[in-house]
Amino acid sequence: MSKRRSLTEAQCVSLAQKLLRERLCHQKLPDRPLALDSQYKHLLELLRRTAVHGESNSVLIVGPRGSGKTMLLGCVLRELMSLKEAQKNVLLVELNGLLQTDDKIALKEITRQLHLENVVGDKVFGSFAENLAFLLEALKKGDKSSSRPVVFVLDEFDLFAHHKNQTLLYNLLDVSQSAQTPVAVLGLTCRLDVLELLEKRVKSRFSHRQIHLFSSLSFAQYVDAVRSQLSLPPDFPDPKFSDAWNHSVTKLCEEKSVEEILRRHFNSSKDFRSLHSLLFLSVSRVSVSHSTLHEADLLEASRLISADSKAIILHGLSILELCLIIAMKHLNDTYDGEPFNFQMVHNEFKKFIQRKSHSIHKFEKPVVMKAFEHLLQLELVRPVDSGVCKVQREYQLMRLMLEHGQVMEALQRYPQCPTDVKQWALSAFA
Amino acid sequence: MSRYITRLRMRRTYKWNGRPVGEDRKLKRQYYESMSISVEGKTEDATVSLGQYILIEGDDDDNPFVAQLLKLYTDDSGKKKTAVLQWFVRMCEVPQNKRKLLGRDPHPQEIFFYQDRSCDNEVDGETILGAVQIEYVPVQDPFPVGKSRDILFVKLLWDTKSFRALDPELMQPPQSPKSPPPSSRGPQTRALPTPDPSVMKRAMSGILTRGSMSTGKMSSSEAESLHSASKLSAAKALSAKRRSQAVSGPQVRKKLDLCSPSKNMSRDDVLGELLDERSEKTLTSKLNTSPTGRISISIRLTPLNLNKEECVSPLSSHSPDKPRMTAHDKDDAARARTPSRRKDSAALREPALAALAEEEHEDSPINTAATSRSKRKSAQLVSSRIKKQLNLLGNKIDLQSDGEDGDDDDCFIPSKIDLQSSSDEEEEAKIDSEDELIVKKHRGSGTSRSTEKTRVSARTPRKTPSKKTAPATPRTPRHATPSIPSRTAPARKPGNVLEEARARLHVSSVPESLPCREQEFQDIYNFVESKVIDGTGGCMYISGVPGTGKTATVHEVIRSLQQSAEQDEIPHFRFIEINGMKMTDPHQAYVQILQKLTDQKATPDHAAALLEKRFSAPAPKKETVVLLVDELDLLWTRKQNVMYNLFDWPTRRNARLVVLTIANTMDLPERIMINRVASRLGLTRMSFQPYTFKQLQQIITSRLNRVKAFEEDALQLVSRKVAALSGDARRCLDICRRATEICEHSGSQKNSSGLVGMSHVMEALDEMFSSSYISAIRCASVQEQLFLRAVIAEFRRLGLEEATFQQVFVQHQALCRVEGLQPANVSEGLTVCQRLGSCRLLLLEGSRLDLFLRIRLNVSQDDVLYALKAD
């Protein structure tokens, strides 16, 4: 006890930070998936039947990014493995469409994870054809009642559908539809049209079970989730600190401005991954001198997250470059989005210098060209066709990659922007 | 076995030796007694003469066919040399599924006497490669050891159904017209490998048996001449009777014991005696000759006067399919002559072993009678005692040899134990071991190899193979037996009605019968059956959309054909299946066919060459091969040579290949095949129509098989719905399975009947068929919904179905202001857009186009509006 009490505040803060960061970054599985009860039951029941009865199944888990597909599967597998019957029986093979980019690699990975005989250490022997024959032979030898069921998890399922002939999918699904080793083929994907990707033979062999994960989360639930994510657990070593912390979090969530921030985030996306990054940024701002979360932290984090990337780039430009951008904007307005070339931009700029400018000196053409090329490198302007034609650089057609609003906003924020430049930008006609 | 390399294509010249020895005017044939084969580059010619064992060129260069030469003749033109043969088969030629009937590992040099009347026994004389030595080994004897690897051993007879003990007499060639006894053959063909006395002795005894065999042949002709008139019918009756008497009756043995109790006969003699006794009995009843008289006559006979008699004897028409008859006639002499000679050989044994030999001889009748296993009992006592004694001795010898080579021995001892544990055969093995100390060691290593093999094959599929065996043989996946480890707890059986129904409805469960495909079944059955019976080849193309039972029907056909083959209604055939989807490359088809056909591994090119040879060469004892090619369209290559070959082989005269091909589209031959391929495929086509709702209903009902789990209406709904969509039986079964699950979950609440009803089926159908787009839109975030509306607004403005992000973004910002939300900036807008793109509500171009990426909707505008309005 004495030791616990002796925890200084600094230690408490760092401990709390560590705990929360772990929760937010490592994507630790929650005890129970939030608002996905029916899907959870369905999937668990399906896998349990494969594990216990040796029934082959195939299922697709479909949901947009960040909707909790992997989390759901993780929870289900955790529960399944805690069953005594399943624990020692189930073999798990995990594949990812981004890693196993063709069937050859996927087959090697499967044989490796199944510890078949052509594996020594981590090496898989034999050619592609041999490996396929080998795996099929192995799966064919098993039967429903005596061999261990194999659970194949195919993450990014849609990418497997792009493999040549869909050989792997055909064979896995064929096994799942024939009296061989019991398998459960679980596909995880965010594409709603994934079935249309499957070839008709493959499609016929798929059981057409789909588990859809669409979050029907309400805002109140969302705020609750935020609160629970930020709260410290009851077994935190210093109860006084954790009480204070939890209290502050609860109060924070009730504040009007915080609610506004959260609603803005909720409106833009309901997934938890973006929420986590928001919370992570705000938690990182906590320090000894600043031992509880404030709304300013959230505000700052939200500002960082929702900042427009191009607007930030614009802040770093020189006045000359900014002027060029404005010239391009005017060109866009006059010609209704038609592409332009450097010469046009330069002319527009010269006109501005001659007529309106008081503060800006005349630049030599090569200097302007240099500035223009810098913009090109930043990809704020981009050539229309990818530069294959042998037009002189001055006359190559370009497009501005900025929105009207972005330019104006950047100008507003630009430190010590000359007023004549501002006026030029605002004037309807150059 | 050394390799008989025919691939080198050594030029062989075949010439008749001497004048024709007979002529058949009707068939215009001239018979010869020997032929000489001269090989380019070798000085001396090899000669093959009647009765000799020869090698015939076959598909496999390492293992040419083995046969005994019965006749040699030429047609009137004198060009074509034909040989009539008695075939022998190697273990690798026995169908794979029958190999286990042997009940032990075959000796590497073992071959089997082939007895099948359907098999063509005439071959082109120019396929003869040369002579080979074959030695008959009595059933109970072990295989001789230490002999040259070129000698083959015959022990058993293979009649396409089972392995049976072989009468040594069957191996005597039937008498050929006017052929003099090839008396010099024994010494000529036999080369003693070492001058080791023990081996010498064994070889001696081998020669002796051989000698007795040859004399047997002579006497057979004598017997022929004696009763040539009634011979044919008598022999037929005899052979029939013999076949029915698979085991010799007990009285035969009693008789034998009575007549020769004190004689110190060797096993071979006794075997001969035993067989004689039987044939004698039947013969005497037929011919009314007294046995004693006959025996005395045959003893008196000498080769010389045999010859004379033979020359005098009128030649009877001698058809090759009656070797059995002559073999029986021959018995008498063989029996009568051998005892005396064998006695000599017995006397040659070392005195130390004399007692044992004595015992062995006493014991031998029992062993010879081992084929008649029913009456072994009394003998078992004696034999077991002897066995014990011998084992003791044998083990001692093993221990002595331990020091000499340690490597072999630790394998050797377990193998020894192995041997002891099996059957009577082992006893002989031990007796041998006393005879030949040195040879024994070789034997030990030999058996150790074989036991090792059995150990590998018998290995239980535990989860540790990579640790245990792989390090020793890391690069030999071909020997590994891939398998998924077996589970620790057994799978649970279905508990209630719904679970039972679900198990039955799983696509994988094999139904008792396939309803609704009777006509197709019959057509395919007739096609394959007729081809198998005729021994011809052919192609058939089967098409149909997925899930209409194509593969299942073909499998059903093959299953019932195999059943009738088992019952001997049709000839045996091999069934091989390949699947275009289960190979990585079309050319792998050759590899897979070859592997399934002969267990060989080869590269695609080599495999193609071997198969080409196999299907084009006239091999006599070929079974019909039924080849199922599933997913044919995947075997398409630019040159289409895989398809071409698959369809070309059946058209060969000697191929005996039936090819059944399955694909999805009806017009595949017209669409993707070039003319020469399509033409070879022929017009035997069949298409499987999608199931109608009545058929689907019948399928489910027959699968459920009186398990009452569904309401009638529910079944009808499912089958109507599926029939309207695709007619895919798999879909239908999957929906039903899902419906049982839904029923099970809701069952706890209120359901009265516990049956799967309409509501459950509706729910399952909804889950599987309803589009998820609408619910996806409804669950999307506010910004995403707004973006979709902006897309539609922009489409309407442009009057196009496509817009750039920039255009849509302007709309989006306007909408945000209308809705009273803070307008999103470009980055946020792009994020929203990409998120919608990733679940394919929108179709997007690559994201590097940034503001100019083009957007299209993947859902109809009405759906979007409907989904958004319902909010």
Side-chain angles (χ1 to χ4, degrees):
Chain A
M1 261 336 250
S2 63
K3 228 182 188 178
R4 276 193 192 171
R5 234 173 244 149
S6 73
L7 277 177
T8 62
E9 192 164 2
Q11 279 173 318
C12 279
V13 169
S14 71
L15 198 66
Q17 247 179 341
K18 192 177 161 226
L19 210 117
L20 291 176
R21 273 195 210 128
E22 214 164 74
R23 190 184 286 168
L24 296 174
C25 296
H26 287 200
Q27 307 195 336
K28 227 176 87 190
L29 291 180
D31 297 331
R32 187 108 184 138
L34 193 72
L36 295 172
D37 269 346
S38 68
Q39 288 97 332
Y40 180 79
K41 257 190 228 157
H42 184 177
L43 189 60
L44 180 62
E45 173 65 14
L46 201 76
L47 285 181
R48 203 183 55 76
R49 280 210 309 276
T50 302
V52 177
H53 293 277
E55 180 185 310
S56 290
N57 276 312
S58 50
V59 68
L60 272 178
I61 305 173
V62 186
R65 297 227 176 269
S67 58
K69 301 179 290 292
T70 313
M71 185 266 296
L72 174 74
L73 183 66
C75 289
V76 168
L77 285 175
R78 185 181 58 191
E79 170 119 16
L80 185 76
M81 291 308 180
S82 67
L83 285 177
K84 218 173 148 197
E85 283 174 295
Q87 192 182 15
K88 283 190 186 150
N89 280 333
V90 177
L91 295 170
L92 187 65
V93 175
E94 283 177 310
L95 304 174
N96 191 319
L98 292 169
L99 298 177
Q100 280 80 42
T101 48
D102 63 20
D103 283 346
K104 192 174 173 177
I105 306 172
L107 271 176
K108 288 207 168 190
E109 185 63 18
I110 293 173
T111 26
R112 194 183 67 73
Q113 292 193 21
L114 282 178
H115 299 291
L116 292 177
E117 278 91 340
N118 56 345
V119 179
V120 177
D122 267 0
K123 283 238 179 214
V124 180
F125 294 104
S127 66
F128 181 27
E130 277 173 346
N131 280 335
L132 180 65
F134 208 77
L135 178 71
L136 291 179
E137 177 85 351
L139 290 173
K140 204 173 170 184
K141 271 203 181 154
D143 68 354
K144 191 179 163 188
S145 52
S146 67
S147 9
R148 293 174 70 170
V150 186
V151 176
F152 288 96
V153 177
L154 307 181
D155 213 342
E156 308 292 345
F157 183 82
D158 47 322
L159 296 179
F160 286 96
H162 293 129
H163 294 179
K164 192 188 159 219
N165 287 345
Q166 304 189 347
T167 309
L168 181 77
L169 291 184
Y170 178 91
N171 286 308
L172 288 183
L173 293 173
D174 195 50
V175 170
S176 86
Q177 298 257 311
S178 52
Q180 304 179 1
T181 304
V183 295
V185 182
L186 305 179
L188 273 66
T189 182
C190 60
R191 285 186 65 165
L192 295 168
D193 62 345
V194 65
L195 282 186
E196 290 157 38
L197 295 176
L198 297 180
E199 211 235 2
K200 58 185 186 302
R201 290 169 276 212
V202 183
K203 194 174 171 183
S204 168
R205 282 167 173 79
F206 171 60
S207 73
H208 279 63
R209 281 165 199 272
Q210 294 189 59
I211 297 177
H212 287 287
L213 302 186
F214 297 126
S215 67
S216 47
L217 219 58
S218 69
F219 182 63
Q221 281 173 311
Y222 190 77
V223 175
D224 274 349
V226 171
R227 193 170 25 243
S228 66
Q229 289 282 332
L230 285 178
S231 305
L232 290 174
D235 58 349
F236 191 74
D238 193 335
K240 222 172 83 190
F241 179 84
S242 75
D243 281 349
W245 174 275
N246 287 349
H247 184 70
S248 77
V249 165
T250 320
K251 261 179 84 182
L252 187 73
C253 290
E254 280 159 6
E255 268 181 62
K256 194 91 182 144
S257 58
V258 173
E259 197 189 304
E260 216 164 84
I261 295 166
L262 290 180
R263 183 173 285 281
R264 193 177 140 79
H265 267 269
F266 177 73
N267 279 346
S268 93
S269 91
K270 288 174 176 179
D271 78 48
F272 280 93
R273 223 170 266 170
S274 66
L275 175 68
H276 281 169
S277 56
L278 174 78
L279 297 181
F280 174 72
L281 283 176
S282 39
V283 165
S284 302
R285 290 171 63 84
V286 173
S287 64
V288 184
S289 56
H290 181 87
S291 67
T292 48
L293 271 178
H294 293 290
E295 62 168 296
D297 301 330
L298 268 176
L299 208 65
E300 178 63 19
S302 161
R303 198 184 59 74
L304 278 176
I305 279 187
S306 57
D308 187 17
S309 50
K310 278 189 188 147
I312 297 168
I313 297 176
L314 286 177
H315 282 248
L317 294 182
S318 67
I319 292 289
L320 172 60
E321 286 157 351
L322 202 63
C323 286
L324 290 183
I325 296 264
I326 292 167
M328 289 177 214
K329 182 189 92 83
H330 281 311
L331 283 175
N332 256 351
D333 287 346
T334 7
Y335 300 107
D336 196 24
E338 287 299 305
F340 49 82
N341 58 30
F342 170 71
Q343 201 54 52
M344 292 160 80
V345 176
H346 191 231
N347 286 341
E348 194 79 6
F349 178 61
K350 266 201 305 199
K351 263 196 279 175
F352 165 67
I353 300 272
Q354 282 164 3
R355 285 194 210 149
K356 294 177 183 167
S357 170
H358 315 290
S359 57
I360 297 174
H361 306 287
K362 200 182 170 209
F363 290 99
E364 294 293 320
K365 195 177 175 186
V367 178
V368 181
M369 185 70 195
K370 193 82 188 162
F372 188 79
E373 281 186 347
H374 186 225
L375 292 179
L376 198 63
Q377 278 171 353
L378 288 171
E379 291 207 330
L380 291 175
V381 285
R382 202 181 273 177
V384 170
D385 40 17
S386 48
V388 274
C389 52
K390 293 198 165 56
V391 191
Q392 261 186 302
R393 267 187 303 181
E394 289 93 325
Y395 303 105
Q396 207 174 1
L397 289 178
M398 299 287 178
R399 270 186 210 276
L400 180 65
M401 301 308 284
L402 289 168
E403 247 295 287
H404 187 93
Q406 282 175 306
V407 180
M408 299 320 283
E409 196 193 321
L411 270 178
Q412 295 301 321
R413 298 229 185 124
Y414 196 85
Q416 293 145 12
C417 182
T419 40
D420 45 354
V421 175
K422 267 186 193 168
Q423 272 172 359
W424 179 44
L426 285 169
S427 65
F429 296 100
Chain B
M1 195 87 238
S2 63
R3 286 170 66 90
Y4 299 88
I5 303 155
T6 52
R7 224 178 310 153
L8 291 180
R9 296 264 166 255
M10 285 189 294
R11 183 181 285 276
R12 292 192 173 78
T13 332
Y14 295 85
K15 260 195 313 215
W16 295 124
N17 276 357
R19 308 278 316 150
V21 288
E23 195 169 356
D24 187 332
R25 285 189 196 282
K26 207 162 86 190
L27 293 168
K28 292 183 178 166
R29 284 172 177 170
Q30 290 190 314
Y31 292 94
Y32 290 86
E33 65 187 43
S34 70
M35 184 166 71
S36 67
I37 306 165
S38 57
V39 182
E40 209 174 54
K42 277 192 183 175
T43 47
E44 70 232 44
D45 296 356
T47 306
V48 290
S49 44
L50 300 190
Q52 219 173 341
Y53 302 100
I54 52 171
L55 294 173
I56 308 287
E57 196 176 322
D59 326 323
D60 186 354
D61 289 340
D62 293 340
N63 295 312
F65 294 131
V66 185
Q68 187 177 25
L69 191 58
L70 300 181
K71 276 186 205 175
L72 280 169
Y73 64 83
T74 176
D75 55 1
D76 53 347
S77 65
K79 291 268 167 57
K80 196 167 174 329
K81 302 178 174 65
T82 311
V84 179
L85 308 164
Q86 165 60 50
W87 289 106
F88 290 84
V89 288
R90 293 168 193 273
M91 197 53 174
C92 52
E93 296 166 44
V94 174
Q96 198 125 34
N97 53 342
K98 301 286 173 62
R99 290 185 192 173
K100 57 179 183 297
L101 289 176
L102 183 57
R104 60 178 164 88
D105 281 337
H107 190 274
Q109 283 154 262
E110 183 173 6
I111 54 172
F112 305 97
F113 188 87
Y114 189 70
Q115 195 175 52
D116 182 11
R117 242 148 305 146
S118 69
C119 163
D120 181 12
N121 60 355
E122 285 185 18
V123 296
D124 183 359
E126 310 217 335
T127 56
I128 297 175
L129 296 175
V132 70
Q133 269 180 272
I134 296 184
E135 201 169 286
Y136 170 72
V137 184
V139 183
Q140 303 80 10
D141 282 13
F143 290 99
V145 281
K147 297 251 178 118
S148 158
R149 309 282 286 165
D150 291 344
I151 301 177
L152 297 169
F153 302 112
V154 179
K155 204 172 214 186
L156 298 172
L157 172 151
W158 170 243
D159 63 355
T160 71
K161 303 269 172 335
S162 59
F163 293 97
R164 287 195 280 126
L166 167 68
D167 289 339
E169 292 73 23
L170 277 178
M171 283 178 63
Q172 323 281 323
Q175 212 42 47
S176 54
K178 284 177 193 160
S179 76
S183 51
S184 62
R185 183 168 45 102
Q188 180 193 322
T189 51
R190 180 169 310 276
L192 296 177
T194 48
D196 187 294
S198 57
V199 179
M200 278 281 268
K201 205 190 316 146
R202 275 209 63 84
M204 279 275 285
S205 67
I207 291 169
L208 285 175
T209 25
R210 186 60 71 90
S212 71
M213 274 154 68
S214 58
T215 43
K217 192 172 77 187
M218 292 165 219
S219 71
S220 78
S221 63
E222 169 236 28
E224 236 167 68
S225 64
L226 271 178
H227 35 261
S228 58
S230 62
K231 183 187 58 180
L232 209 124
S233 58
K236 276 216 174 122
L238 184 118
S239 66
K241 200 160 184 180
R242 247 183 69 88
R243 226 176 309 153
S244 66
Q245 275 187 330
V247 280
S248 55
Q251 73 270 41
V252 175
R253 221 191 101 239
K254 217 183 278 168
K255 209 176 188 178
L256 176 98
D257 288 346
L258 280 175
C259 70
S260 60
S262 58
K263 254 192 221 166
N264 222 357
M265 289 198 300
S266 74
R267 278 185 309 278
D268 291 1
D269 304 341
V270 179
L271 176 68
E273 188 95 72
L274 203 82
L275 292 165
D276 287 355
E277 210 66 46
R278 203 166 17 169
S279 54
E280 189 181 293
K281 230 175 52 181
T282 45
L283 266 178
T284 45
S285 60
K286 283 277 170 205
L287 302 171
N288 291 327
T289 339
S290 75
T292 46
R294 216 168 47 76
I295 288 171
S296 64
I297 285 167
S298 52
I299 285 175
R300 253 199 345 264
L301 283 171
T302 62
L304 204 98
N305 67 17
L306 250 179
N307 266 346
K308 218 169 32 177
E309 249 189 321
E310 199 175 66
C311 298
V312 177
S313 67
L315 260 171
S316 53
S317 71
H318 206 79
S319 70
D321 58 341
K322 285 184 282 176
R324 204 176 270 157
M325 163 196 75
T326 46
H328 298 305
D329 293 346
K330 276 176 276 174
D331 289 356
D332 335 352
R335 180 192 65 105
R337 289 184 57 85
T338 40
S340 58
R341 289 223 196 167
R342 289 295 288 198
K343 249 183 247 166
D344 297 343
S345 79
L348 272 170
R349 288 169 190 258
E350 284 110 322
L353 290 168
L356 255 170
E358 201 82 22
E359 260 179 329
E360 177 204 338
H361 290 185
E362 264 172 17
D363 186 28
S364 51
I366 296 150
N367 288 327
T368 41
T371 41
S372 56
R373 295 214 181 268
S374 57
K375 56 181 181 58
R376 250 193 342 198
K377 251 189 184 167
S378 63
Q380 263 170 0
L381 245 170
V382 186
S383 71
S384 66
R385 210 176 53 218
I386 296 167
K387 214 184 269 178
K388 227 183 267 168
Q389 198 178 339
L390 292 176
N391 286 348
L392 264 175
L393 261 164
N395 283 338
K396 229 179 273 170
I397 289 156
D398 292 340
L399 287 174
Q400 282 163 9
S401 62
D402 265 5
E404 288 164 40
D405 46 11
D407 260 356
D408 280 356
D409 284 321
D410 42 306
C411 305
F412 177 65
I413 290 166
S415 80
K416 185 92 189 154
I417 290 158
D418 233 7
L419 283 167
Q420 281 168 18
S421 63
S422 49
S423 72
D424 292 18
E425 274 181 28
E426 270 62 49
E427 194 169 10
E428 268 71 42
K430 258 122 257 172
I431 291 162
D432 274 347
S433 73
E434 275 133 28
D435 278 343
E436 305 147 9
L437 281 182
I438 300 149
V439 184
K440 178 134 186 36
K441 242 183 337 191
H442 287 281
R443 230 186 74 79
S445 60
T447 45
S448 78
R449 206 188 313 131
S450 69
T451 43
E452 208 163 52
K453 221 183 282 164
T454 54
R455 211 177 304 147
V456 169
S457 61
R459 184 150 45 104
T460 49
R462 282 304 313 159
K463 238 214 112 169
T464 48
S466 58
K467 278 169 215 149
K468 262 191 193 162
T469 55
T473 57
R475 282 206 171 262
T476 54
R478 71 157 72 180
H479 297 308
T481 51
S483 58
I484 299 296
S486 54
R487 47 193 300 155
T488 46
R492 206 187 281 168
K493 292 276 172 284
N496 56 34
V497 178
L498 285 176
E499 279 180 7
E500 172 75 29
R502 198 154 52 226
R504 285 171 168 279
L505 286 173
H506 199 282
V507 184
S508 72
S509 70
V510 183
E512 291 86 1
S513 68
L514 286 175
C516 315
R517 287 292 182 222
E518 288 83 8
Q519 186 54 46
E520 285 85 353
F521 176 88
Q522 205 53 49
D523 288 354
I524 301 173
Y525 188 93
N526 291 344
F527 177 80
V528 180
E529 190 192 33
S530 65
K531 301 288 178 198
V532 169
I533 289 175
D534 299 348
T536 54
C539 294
M540 185 173 203
Y541 178 74
I542 300 167
S543 66
V545 292
T548 47
K550 302 177 295 294
T551 312
T553 307
V554 171
H555 278 149
E556 184 83 1
V557 166
I558 296 297
R559 214 173 318 148
S560 53
L561 278 172
Q562 272 167 344
Q563 264 171 18
S564 51
E566 288 293 325
Q567 289 158 10
D568 279 336
E569 284 155 15
I570 57 167
H572 277 264
F573 63 94
R574 292 281 297 274
F575 174 62
I576 290 174
E577 184 182 5
I578 60 171
N579 186 326
M581 271 289 202
K582 295 187 178 173
M583 54 188 72
T584 52
D585 172 84
H587 293 98
Q588 288 290 327
Y590 298 130
V591 180
Q592 293 201 359
I593 295 172
L594 186 74
Q595 205 200 343
K596 286 172 181 167
L597 210 56
T598 64
D599 237 356
Q600 279 175 290
K601 278 207 169 185
T603 60
D605 289 344
H606 188 209
L610 285 177
L611 286 172
E612 174 77 32
K613 199 171 152 196
R614 185 188 170 96
F615 288 123
S616 50
K621 45 193 171 185
K622 216 183 261 174
E623 287 175 310
T624 300
V625 174
V626 179
L627 175 66
L628 170 62
V629 184
D630 216 339
E631 315 293 2
L632 176 72
D633 49 333
L634 286 164
L635 295 183
W636 186 88
T637 53
R638 217 157 51 78
K639 284 176 146 185
Q640 308 200 352
N641 42 6
V642 178
M643 283 184 181
Y644 178 85
N645 278 334
L646 282 178
F647 302 142
D648 192 38
W649 289 331
T651 62
R652 308 278 168 80
R653 208 172 71 81
N654 297 299
R656 291 185 151 206
L657 177 69
V658 183
V659 178
L660 302 172
T661 56
I662 295 181
N664 289 131
T665 40
M666 198 150 69
D667 58 344
L668 188 79
E670 285 74 32
R671 247 175 348 110
I672 69 167
M673 290 183 198
I674 47 180
N675 287 337
R676 58 196 165 100
V677 178
S679 145
R680 277 169 176 79
L681 172 58
L683 293 169
T684 321
R685 299 199 189 162
M686 165 173 296
S687 90
F688 279 60
Q689 298 303 321
Y691 288 113
T692 64
F693 85 91
K694 279 203 176 116
Q695 290 173 322
L696 287 173
Q697 209 171 340
Q698 201 185 335
I699 288 170
I700 305 173
T701 328
S702 82
R703 280 212 178 218
L704 283 174
N705 194 18
R706 290 197 294 282
V707 174
K708 184 73 184 147
F710 278 82
E711 283 171 17
E712 263 324 292
D713 294 349
L715 282 189
Q716 192 162 6
L717 177 67
V718 174
S719 34
R720 274 187 190 273
K721 183 86 181 175
V722 173
L725 281 167
S726 60
D728 186 337
R730 290 196 188 105
R731 194 72 325 98
C732 197
L733 295 171
D734 282 331
I735 293 169
C736 290
R737 225 150 53 85
R738 178 71 189 127
T740 59
E741 281 168 29
I742 294 170
C743 176
E744 200 166 41
H745 284 298
S746 64
S748 52
Q749 295 160 16
K750 53 177 170 108
N751 201 321
S752 53
S753 61
L755 294 183
V756 180
M758 286 293 258
S759 59
H760 306 124
V761 169
M762 285 296 272
E763 203 180 325
L765 282 171
D766 236 35
E767 260 186 40
M768 291 196 174
F769 289 116
S770 75
S771 153
S772 50
Y773 287 108
I774 288 174
S775 49
I777 294 172
R778 279 186 189 159
C779 292
S781 71
V782 176
Q783 292 283 355
E784 286 162 359
Q785 290 177 345
L786 274 183
F787 196 85
L788 284 174
R789 277 162 74 173
V791 170
I792 288 178
E794 186 63 23
F795 283 178
R796 292 210 171 139
R797 190 181 73 83
L798 294 170
L800 293 170
E801 290 284 289
E802 192 177 273
T804 63
F805 172 75
Q806 195 171 22
Q807 292 165 325
V808 176
F809 182 68
V810 173
Q811 293 280 350
H812 181 69
Q813 281 188 313
L815 276 173
C816 282
R817 288 195 193 96
V818 170
E819 294 287 321
L821 298 169
Q822 193 183 347
N825 59 33
V826 180
S827 286
E828 283 173 321
L830 261 178
T831 320
V832 167
C833 179
Q834 292 292 348
R835 208 178 299 132
L836 289 172
S838 76
C839 47
R840 287 300 187 277
L841 283 167
L842 297 178
L843 297 175
L844 304 177
E845 282 185 308
S847 61
R848 62 177 295 278
L849 285 171
D850 205 354
L851 287 182
F852 298 99
L853 67 84
R854 278 184 299 230
I855 296 172
R856 272 186 297 162
L857 270 180
N858 199 22
V859 213
S860 77
Q861 294 191 14
D862 293 338
D863 281 356
V864 178
L865 290 176
Y866 167 75
L868 294 177
K869 213 165 269 168
D871 260 359

